[in-house]
Amino acid sequence: MDKIIFATSNQGKMDEIKMIMEGFPCEIVSMKEAGIYAVIEETGTTFEENAIIKAKEVMKLSGCITLADDSGLEIDYINKEPGVYSARYLGEDTPYSVKNKTLIDRLNGVEGEDRSARFVCVIAAAFPDGEIITARGTIEGVIGYEEKGTHGFGYDPILYVPEYGMTTGEMLPEEKNKISHRGIALQLMREKLMEKLNII
Ligand code: ITT
């Protein structure tokens, strides 16, 4: 079978995806590796809508089965911000050190469980026959009081996961992938793909 394209231009995501999908009996390639350079406007207001928009658009351009991830950080105290706007929060090119510090400052005086937050990931698969499949994963935590950890990307240094006593930025990649929003969504998607493609 043809390769499967993962429609993302975020290298941090792509590294995690390749690691999680290792051993899948079909090659998973990035848009760049497939020679597709598309800038897709994320006009949806939910993770599901945006993941489907990205997967469908690249499937139409490539003719191949295409997966896409829409993900982000939801902080309950500030009405689930930055949510679907996580990548665009304070501007796409603003360093994450600034974004993370701003979010910590916005929770000034907020304590304990009121700092609850989670990463959400929805993966969509768009098939040339028109079928769409989605899978969702989350990882729950609280916003830390300072950035911690140098692994991962984006908001990883500020999502503290009490169960593991560390932020996702302090987790080794293989540890994060086992329990993360993306790891869970992708494992689910992997099973759904095996079923759809009749892979035993
Ligand atoms: P693509 O649309 O090209 O995939 P993107 O970075 O724009 O790349 P999203 O629109 O899905 O992707 O935004 C996801 C943002 O959410 C991402 O840029 C981070 O800021 C944040 N995020 C998602 N997963 C994360 C993770 O595992 N660790 C840290 N931050 C994460």
Side-chain angles (χ1 to χ4, degrees):
M1 186 213 311
D2 264 2
K3 53 192 181 300
I4 294 180
I5 298 176
F6 209 108
T8 179
S9 37
N10 179 324
Q11 193 56 45
K13 274 187 189 178
M14 200 62 216
D15 293 344
E16 290 189 359
I17 288 154
K18 288 218 168 171
M19 206 180 230
I20 299 165
M21 291 300 277
E22 222 173 69
F24 188 75
C26 182
E27 199 190 354
I28 313 282
V29 299
S30 66
M31 283 203 297
K32 199 168 150 196
E33 286 164 337
I36 293 171
Y37 298 90
V39 179
I40 301 157
E41 236 196 294
E42 295 177 23
T43 51
T45 54
T46 63
F47 293 110
E48 276 78 6
E49 278 171 14
N50 282 336
I52 292 171
I53 289 170
K54 292 189 249 187
K56 258 174 134 175
E57 200 153 320
V58 174
M59 183 275 290
K60 280 185 201 148
L61 288 171
S62 64
C64 296
I65 300 172
T66 302
L67 305 181
D69 155 315
D70 198 52
S71 48
L73 175 67
E74 285 184 350
I75 303 177
D76 293 323
Y77 190 78
I78 51 173
N79 293 319
K80 296 194 172 15
E81 274 188 58
V84 291
Y85 304 104
S86 292
R88 290 165 274 175
Y89 180 62
L90 301 179
E92 194 96 39
D93 296 328
T94 301
Y96 274 90
S97 52
V98 176
K99 298 191 192 204
N100 285 335
K101 187 170 181 315
T102 305
L103 288 173
I104 292 170
D105 287 349
R106 287 181 71 188
L107 294 197
N108 199 10
V110 180
E111 300 294 332
E113 284 176 12
D114 289 342
R115 301 177 72 89
S116 60
R118 69 200 56 75
F119 282 134
V120 180
C121 173
V122 173
I123 312 248
F127 296 86
D129 66 7
E131 195 181 345
I132 300 284
I133 295 176
T134 61
R136 175 182 258 259
T138 57
I139 178 169
E140 297 285 335
V142 290
I143 297 301
Y145 292 91
E146 58 183 349
E147 284 192 284
K148 277 193 175 162
T150 52
H151 296 296
F153 63 98
Y155 300 103
D156 275 324
I158 61 166
L159 188 77
Y160 178 82
V161 186
E163 219 181 318
Y164 290 84
M166 62 177 93
T167 68
T168 51
E170 292 176 289
M171 293 177 188
L172 292 173
E174 46 287 10
E175 282 174 340
K176 180 187 169 191
N177 290 342
K178 269 190 222 148
I179 56 160
S180 77
H181 52 316
R182 187 164 297 102
I184 293 166
L186 213 42
Q187 280 303 341
L188 245 174
M189 178 53 77
R190 195 180 162 126
E191 285 160 26
K192 291 184 179 192
L193 276 175
M194 303 273 272
E195 206 178 301
K196 161 94 180 160
L197 301 174
N198 281 322
I199 300 170
I200 304 150

